[in-house]
PDB file of all heavy atoms in Angstrom:
ATOM      1  N   LYS A 214     100.527  72.411 123.857  1.00 91.00           N
ATOM      2  CA  LYS A 214      99.861  73.688 124.069  1.00 91.00           C
ATOM      3  C   LYS A 214      98.385  73.597 123.418  1.00 91.00           C
ATOM      4  O   LYS A 214      97.671  72.850 124.067  1.00 91.00           O
ATOM      5  CB  LYS A 214     100.550  74.904 123.561  1.00 91.00           C
ATOM      6  CG  LYS A 214     101.978  75.091 124.127  1.00 91.00           C
ATOM      7  CD  LYS A 214     101.836  75.562 125.627  1.00 91.00           C
ATOM      8  CE  LYS A 214     103.073  75.787 126.349  1.00 91.00           C
ATOM      9  NZ  LYS A 214     102.881  76.131 127.716  1.00 91.00           N
ATOM     10  N   SER A 215      98.149  74.365 122.518  1.00 91.00           N
ATOM     11  CA  SER A 215      96.837  74.327 121.930  1.00 91.00           C
ATOM     12  C   SER A 215      96.486  72.894 121.289  1.00 91.00           C
ATOM     13  O   SER A 215      97.367  72.465 120.353  1.00 91.00           O
ATOM     14  CB  SER A 215      96.593  75.463 120.883  1.00 91.00           C
ATOM     15  OG  SER A 215      96.707  76.712 121.456  1.00 91.00           O
ATOM     16  N   ALA A 216      95.458  72.345 121.657  1.00 93.00           N
ATOM     17  CA  ALA A 216      95.036  71.052 121.013  1.00 93.00           C
ATOM     18  C   ALA A 216      93.430  70.935 121.223  1.00 93.00           C
ATOM     19  O   ALA A 216      92.909  70.462 122.275  1.00 93.00           O
ATOM     20  CB  ALA A 216      95.744  69.811 121.713  1.00 93.00           C
ATOM     21  N   TYR A 217      92.686  71.395 120.099  1.00 95.00           N
ATOM     22  CA  TYR A 217      91.233  71.437 120.353  1.00 95.00           C
ATOM     23  C   TYR A 217      90.561  71.357 118.995  1.00 95.00           C
ATOM     24  O   TYR A 217      91.067  71.547 117.963  1.00 95.00           O
ATOM     25  CB  TYR A 217      90.898  72.711 121.100  1.00 95.00           C
ATOM     26  CG  TYR A 217      91.235  74.081 120.276  1.00 95.00           C
ATOM     27  CD1 TYR A 217      90.242  74.575 119.463  1.00 95.00           C
ATOM     28  CD2 TYR A 217      92.419  74.780 120.668  1.00 95.00           C
ATOM     29  CE1 TYR A 217      90.555  75.757 118.842  1.00 95.00           C
ATOM     30  CE2 TYR A 217      92.550  75.891 119.979  1.00 95.00           C
ATOM     31  CZ  TYR A 217      91.654  76.348 119.127  1.00 95.00           C
ATOM     32  OH  TYR A 217      91.901  77.648 118.557  1.00 95.00           O
ATOM     33  N   LEU A 218      89.224  71.048 119.071  1.00 96.00           N
ATOM     34  CA  LEU A 218      88.373  71.180 117.993  1.00 96.00           C
ATOM     35  C   LEU A 218      87.327  72.241 118.332  1.00 96.00           C
ATOM     36  O   LEU A 218      86.938  72.360 119.484  1.00 96.00           O
ATOM     37  CB  LEU A 218      87.605  69.778 117.790  1.00 96.00           C
ATOM     38  CG  LEU A 218      88.407  68.471 117.437  1.00 96.00           C
ATOM     39  CD1 LEU A 218      87.449  67.344 117.564  1.00 96.00           C
ATOM     40  CD2 LEU A 218      88.895  68.798 116.062  1.00 96.00           C
ATOM     41  N   ALA A 219      86.955  72.974 117.269  1.00 95.00           N
ATOM     42  CA  ALA A 219      86.086  74.110 117.470  1.00 95.00           C
ATOM     43  C   ALA A 219      84.999  74.100 116.479  1.00 95.00           C
ATOM     44  O   ALA A 219      85.319  73.791 115.240  1.00 95.00           O
ATOM     45  CB  ALA A 219      86.699  75.452 117.445  1.00 95.00           C
ATOM     46  N   TRP A 220      83.673  74.410 116.955  1.00 95.00           N
ATOM     47  CA  TRP A 220      82.536  74.403 115.900  1.00 95.00           C
ATOM     48  C   TRP A 220      82.042  75.937 115.974  1.00 95.00           C
ATOM     49  O   TRP A 220      81.645  76.270 117.025  1.00 95.00           O
ATOM     50  CB  TRP A 220      81.445  73.442 116.408  1.00 95.00           C
ATOM     51  CG  TRP A 220      80.316  73.403 115.508  1.00 95.00           C
ATOM     52  CD1 TRP A 220      79.114  74.188 115.635  1.00 95.00           C
ATOM     53  CD2 TRP A 220      80.122  72.566 114.341  1.00 95.00           C
ATOM     54  NE1 TRP A 220      78.259  73.901 114.722  1.00 95.00           N
ATOM     55  CE2 TRP A 220      78.755  72.836 113.766  1.00 95.00           C
ATOM     56  CE3 TRP A 220      80.983  71.595 113.763  1.00 95.00           C
ATOM     57  CZ2 TRP A 220      78.410  72.267 112.746  1.00 95.00           C
ATOM     58  CZ3 TRP A 220      80.405  70.946 112.634  1.00 95.00           C
ATOM     59  CH2 TRP A 220      79.176  71.279 112.080  1.00 95.00           C
ATOM     60  N   THR A 221      82.164  76.500 114.828  1.00 92.00           N
ATOM     61  CA  THR A 221      81.650  77.940 114.837  1.00 92.00           C
ATOM     62  C   THR A 221      80.345  78.023 114.029  1.00 92.00           C
ATOM     63  O   THR A 221      80.217  77.454 112.850  1.00 92.00           O
ATOM     64  CB  THR A 221      82.630  78.706 113.996  1.00 92.00           C
ATOM     65  OG1 THR A 221      83.944  78.625 114.668  1.00 92.00           O
ATOM     66  CG2 THR A 221      82.368  80.220 114.000  1.00 92.00           C
ATOM     67  N   THR A 222      79.361  78.609 114.605  1.00 92.00           N
ATOM     68  CA  THR A 222      78.026  78.579 114.052  1.00 92.00           C
ATOM     69  C   THR A 222      77.239  79.951 114.637  1.00 92.00           C
ATOM     70  O   THR A 222      77.922  80.851 115.065  1.00 92.00           O
ATOM     71  CB  THR A 222      77.114  77.464 114.448  1.00 92.00           C
ATOM     72  OG1 THR A 222      75.886  77.473 113.854  1.00 92.00           O
ATOM     73  CG2 THR A 222      76.952  77.463 115.998  1.00 92.00           C
ATOM     74  N   ARG A 223      76.014  79.986 114.355  1.00 90.00           N
ATOM     75  CA  ARG A 223      75.200  81.164 114.815  1.00 90.00           C
ATOM     76  C   ARG A 223      74.312  80.733 116.011  1.00 90.00           C
ATOM     77  O   ARG A 223      73.580  79.650 115.741  1.00 90.00           O
ATOM     78  CB  ARG A 223      74.388  81.824 113.771  1.00 90.00           C
ATOM     79  CG  ARG A 223      75.264  82.523 112.696  1.00 90.00           C
ATOM     80  CD  ARG A 223      74.521  83.450 111.730  1.00 90.00           C
ATOM     81  NE  ARG A 223      75.301  84.056 110.804  1.00 90.00           N
ATOM     82  CZ  ARG A 223      75.968  85.282 111.039  1.00 90.00           C
ATOM     83  NH1 ARG A 223      75.823  85.865 112.266  1.00 90.00           N
ATOM     84  NH2 ARG A 223      76.715  85.769 110.092  1.00 90.00           N
ATOM     85  N   PHE A 224      74.193  81.383 116.969  1.00 86.00           N
ATOM     86  CA  PHE A 224      73.307  81.117 118.149  1.00 86.00           C
ATOM     87  C   PHE A 224      72.552  82.339 118.552  1.00 86.00           C
ATOM     88  O   PHE A 224      73.152  83.310 118.928  1.00 86.00           O
ATOM     89  CB  PHE A 224      74.036  80.519 119.246  1.00 86.00           C
ATOM     90  CG  PHE A 224      73.192  80.167 120.483  1.00 86.00           C
ATOM     91  CD1 PHE A 224      72.417  78.951 120.504  1.00 86.00           C
ATOM     92  CD2 PHE A 224      73.317  80.860 121.696  1.00 86.00           C
ATOM     93  CE1 PHE A 224      71.655  78.679 121.461  1.00 86.00           C
ATOM     94  CE2 PHE A 224      72.654  80.484 122.787  1.00 86.00           C
ATOM     95  CZ  PHE A 224      71.864  79.415 122.701  1.00 86.00           C
ATOM     96  N   LEU A 225      71.206  82.345 118.529  1.00 84.00           N
ATOM     97  CA  LEU A 225      70.402  83.468 118.777  1.00 84.00           C
ATOM     98  C   LEU A 225      70.833  84.673 118.070  1.00 84.00           C
ATOM     99  O   LEU A 225      70.924  85.868 118.430  1.00 84.00           O
ATOM    100  CB  LEU A 225      70.542  83.822 120.304  1.00 84.00           C
ATOM    101  CG  LEU A 225      70.095  82.754 121.260  1.00 84.00           C
ATOM    102  CD1 LEU A 225      70.241  83.141 122.737  1.00 84.00           C
ATOM    103  CD2 LEU A 225      68.584  82.394 120.906  1.00 84.00           C
ATOM    104  N   GLY A 226      71.218  84.468 116.773  1.00 86.00           N
ATOM    105  CA  GLY A 226      71.578  85.619 115.835  1.00 86.00           C
ATOM    106  C   GLY A 226      72.937  86.090 115.969  1.00 86.00           C
ATOM    107  O   GLY A 226      73.380  86.969 115.213  1.00 86.00           O
ATOM    108  N   GLN A 227      73.801  85.525 116.883  1.00 91.00           N
ATOM    109  CA  GLN A 227      75.159  85.876 117.054  1.00 91.00           C
ATOM    110  C   GLN A 227      76.061  84.878 116.731  1.00 91.00           C
ATOM    111  O   GLN A 227      75.809  83.675 116.806  1.00 91.00           O
ATOM    112  CB  GLN A 227      75.420  86.464 118.571  1.00 91.00           C
ATOM    113  CG  GLN A 227      74.484  87.478 118.953  1.00 91.00           C
ATOM    114  CD  GLN A 227      74.631  88.742 118.274  1.00 91.00           C
ATOM    115  OE1 GLN A 227      75.637  89.056 117.748  1.00 91.00           O
ATOM    116  NE2 GLN A 227      73.623  89.551 118.258  1.00 91.00           N
ATOM    117  N   GLN A 228      77.322  85.059 116.263  1.00 91.00           N
ATOM    118  CA  GLN A 228      78.262  84.207 115.949  1.00 91.00           C
ATOM    119  C   GLN A 228      78.775  83.557 117.295  1.00 91.00           C
ATOM    120  O   GLN A 228      79.129  84.246 118.263  1.00 91.00           O
ATOM    121  CB  GLN A 228      79.509  84.873 115.276  1.00 91.00           C
ATOM    122  CG  GLN A 228      79.160  85.169 113.876  1.00 91.00           C
ATOM    123  CD  GLN A 228      80.218  85.639 113.008  1.00 91.00           C
ATOM    124  OE1 GLN A 228      81.423  85.129 113.202  1.00 91.00           O
ATOM    125  NE2 GLN A 228      80.121  86.459 111.909  1.00 91.00           N
ATOM    126  N   THR A 229      78.895  82.214 117.302  1.00 94.00           N
ATOM    127  CA  THR A 229      79.264  81.544 118.438  1.00 94.00           C
ATOM    128  C   THR A 229      80.180  80.470 118.152  1.00 94.00           C
ATOM    129  O   THR A 229      80.147  79.878 117.157  1.00 94.00           O
ATOM    130  CB  THR A 229      77.960  80.883 119.082  1.00 94.00           C
ATOM    131  OG1 THR A 229      77.001  81.899 119.377  1.00 94.00           O
ATOM    132  CG2 THR A 229      78.216  80.261 120.440  1.00 94.00           C
ATOM    133  N   GLU A 230      81.018  80.264 119.190  1.00 94.00           N
ATOM    134  CA  GLU A 230      82.110  79.220 118.984  1.00 94.00           C
ATOM    135  C   GLU A 230      82.159  78.179 120.110  1.00 94.00           C
ATOM    136  O   GLU A 230      82.093  78.695 121.401  1.00 94.00           O
ATOM    137  CB  GLU A 230      83.478  79.752 118.822  1.00 94.00           C
ATOM    138  CG  GLU A 230      84.626  78.739 118.533  1.00 94.00           C
ATOM    139  CD  GLU A 230      85.959  79.319 118.564  1.00 94.00           C
ATOM    140  OE1 GLU A 230      86.482  79.651 119.732  1.00 94.00           O
ATOM    141  OE2 GLU A 230      86.634  79.458 117.450  1.00 94.00           O
ATOM    142  N   PHE A 231      81.939  76.958 119.873  1.00 96.00           N
ATOM    143  CA  PHE A 231      82.004  75.876 120.987  1.00 96.00           C
ATOM    144  C   PHE A 231      83.403  75.134 120.706  1.00 96.00           C
ATOM    145  O   PHE A 231      83.659  74.629 119.650  1.00 96.00           O
ATOM    146  CB  PHE A 231      80.776  74.963 120.927  1.00 96.00           C
ATOM    147  CG  PHE A 231      79.569  75.705 121.060  1.00 96.00           C
ATOM    148  CD1 PHE A 231      78.781  76.056 119.959  1.00 96.00           C
ATOM    149  CD2 PHE A 231      79.061  75.894 122.324  1.00 96.00           C
ATOM    150  CE1 PHE A 231      77.547  76.741 120.139  1.00 96.00           C
ATOM    151  CE2 PHE A 231      77.779  76.653 122.510  1.00 96.00           C
ATOM    152  CZ  PHE A 231      77.034  76.908 121.398  1.00 96.00           C
ATOM    153  N   ALA A 232      84.089  74.882 121.871  1.00 96.00           N
ATOM    154  CA  ALA A 232      85.388  74.183 121.664  1.00 96.00           C
ATOM    155  C   ALA A 232      85.491  73.066 122.710  1.00 96.00           C
ATOM    156  O   ALA A 232      85.105  73.179 123.858  1.00 96.00           O
ATOM    157  CB  ALA A 232      86.449  75.174 121.733  1.00 96.00           C
ATOM    158  N   LEU A 233      86.179  71.944 122.301  1.00 96.00           N
ATOM    159  CA  LEU A 233      86.656  70.888 123.162  1.00 96.00           C
ATOM    160  C   LEU A 233      88.047  70.689 123.027  1.00 96.00           C
ATOM    161  O   LEU A 233      88.586  70.618 121.926  1.00 96.00           O
ATOM    162  CB  LEU A 233      85.856  69.712 122.820  1.00 96.00           C
ATOM    163  CG  LEU A 233      84.383  69.644 123.132  1.00 96.00           C
ATOM    164  CD1 LEU A 233      83.704  68.347 122.580  1.00 96.00           C
ATOM    165  CD2 LEU A 233      84.129  69.746 124.557  1.00 96.00           C
ATOM    166  N   GLY A 234      88.862  70.609 124.186  1.00 95.00           N
ATOM    167  CA  GLY A 234      90.180  70.479 124.169  1.00 95.00           C
ATOM    168  C   GLY A 234      91.058  71.346 124.932  1.00 95.00           C
ATOM    169  O   GLY A 234      90.488  71.948 126.062  1.00 95.00           O
ATOM    170  N   ASN A 235      92.293  71.481 124.784  1.00 93.00           N
ATOM    171  CA  ASN A 235      93.231  72.288 125.534  1.00 93.00           C
ATOM    172  C   ASN A 235      93.444  73.659 124.805  1.00 93.00           C
ATOM    173  O   ASN A 235      93.932  73.655 123.663  1.00 93.00           O
ATOM    174  CB  ASN A 235      94.553  71.548 125.678  1.00 93.00           C
ATOM    175  CG  ASN A 235      95.439  72.072 126.836  1.00 93.00           C
ATOM    176  OD1 ASN A 235      94.930  72.107 128.002  1.00 93.00           O
ATOM    177  ND2 ASN A 235      96.533  72.497 126.586  1.00 93.00           N
ATOM    178  N   ARG A 236      92.997  74.728 125.395  1.00 91.00           N
ATOM    179  CA  ARG A 236      93.035  75.949 124.699  1.00 91.00           C
ATOM    180  C   ARG A 236      93.461  77.038 125.704  1.00 91.00           C
ATOM    181  O   ARG A 236      93.231  76.981 126.899  1.00 91.00           O
ATOM    182  CB  ARG A 236      91.942  76.246 123.773  1.00 91.00           C
ATOM    183  CG  ARG A 236      90.746  76.758 124.533  1.00 91.00           C
ATOM    184  CD  ARG A 236      89.622  76.995 123.517  1.00 91.00           C
ATOM    185  NE  ARG A 236      89.975  77.949 122.477  1.00 91.00           N
ATOM    186  CZ  ARG A 236      89.231  78.455 121.510  1.00 91.00           C
ATOM    187  NH1 ARG A 236      87.956  78.041 121.481  1.00 91.00           N
ATOM    188  NH2 ARG A 236      89.695  79.355 120.708  1.00 91.00           N
ATOM    189  N   LEU A 237      93.939  78.154 125.230  1.00 92.00           N
ATOM    190  CA  LEU A 237      94.311  79.352 125.971  1.00 92.00           C
ATOM    191  C   LEU A 237      93.136  79.954 126.759  1.00 92.00           C
ATOM    192  O   LEU A 237      92.013  80.066 126.179  1.00 92.00           O
ATOM    193  CB  LEU A 237      95.025  80.390 125.093  1.00 92.00           C
ATOM    194  CG  LEU A 237      95.485  81.664 125.775  1.00 92.00           C
ATOM    195  CD1 LEU A 237      96.754  81.269 126.580  1.00 92.00           C
ATOM    196  CD2 LEU A 237      95.829  82.728 124.766  1.00 92.00           C
TER     197      LEU A 237
END
Side-chain angles (χ1 to χ4, degrees):
K214 292 300 184 180
S215 297
Y217 64 86
L218 293 172
W220 183 268
T221 305
T222 184
R223 292 189 180 275
F224 179 72
L225 299 178
Q227 302 295 335
Q228 294 194 24
T229 306
E230 182 187 73
F231 301 97
L233 292 174
N235 200 59
R236 75 178 307 179
L237 184 66

